[in-house]
Amino acid sequence: MLVETKNGDSDGWILKDKVHVEGGREQALARAEELSLTYTRGLYLSRSDHGRVVFRISETSWLAEITESLWSTSREEAFTKMRYARLTVAQLISSTEPPPVERPAPKKGRLRRALGRD
């Protein structure tokens, strides 16, 4: 399952979490729905109490809108922060590890050339 997050009015979604679920499709769907009702990891909520609205977008994806009410001491008024989590059941099709990186050869700078050191 993939968990993407978005803060406020930002344009893009960020892949925040990949949750492996043992079992088959039904277990993955049940876990995704459960997480849509509880997920807060990586959303940077400042308090533990918040509101939540969950939408089922399709058979395999959910959108959670998490709302937090805060008090602005500088403006002396309440304001609301909204964060979003999109949970999607996905099947892993392919995975390859990147090749190990090798240290590049030292660059020949002007000082090294001037001193005759390669």
Side-chain angles (χ1 to χ4, degrees):
M1 169 186 1
L2 306 175
V3 180
E4 300 165 281
T5 62
K6 178 179 175 179
N7 289 332
D9 295 329
S10 67
D11 290 336
W13 289 88
I14 297 171
L15 180 61
K16 207 56 150 177
D17 216 349
K18 293 180 266 185
V19 179
H20 178 74
V21 179
E22 293 291 332
R25 178 180 170 84
E26 294 306 315
Q27 288 85 354
L29 291 171
R31 181 70 175 125
E33 186 168 355
E34 174 191 327
L35 273 181
S36 73
L37 301 171
T38 61
Y39 190 85
T40 58
R41 189 171 148 202
L43 291 175
Y44 309 109
L45 298 169
S46 59
R47 300 176 350 174
S48 61
D49 52 336
H50 48 270
R52 179 183 303 262
V53 177
V54 178
F55 301 94
R56 186 169 187 161
I57 299 171
S58 72
E59 183 184 332
T60 59
S61 62
W62 292 258
L63 175 68
E65 178 185 74
I66 296 101
T67 307
E68 184 179 26
S69 296
L70 302 164
W71 185 262
S72 170
T73 54
S74 61
R75 294 186 298 191
E76 288 296 318
E77 63 184 3
F79 68 99
T80 303
K81 279 187 178 181
M82 298 178 83
R83 297 192 171 47
Y84 302 90
R86 184 167 56 190
L87 297 93
T88 306
V89 173
Q91 181 180 5
L92 179 63
I93 300 298
S94 174
S95 176
T96 57
E97 293 293 323
V101 66
E102 294 182 18
R103 177 182 220 116
K107 293 184 179 182
K108 296 179 183 177
R110 285 185 234 169
L111 183 58
R112 289 180 153 263
R113 284 193 301 254
L115 295 174
R117 297 183 182 162
D118 297 290

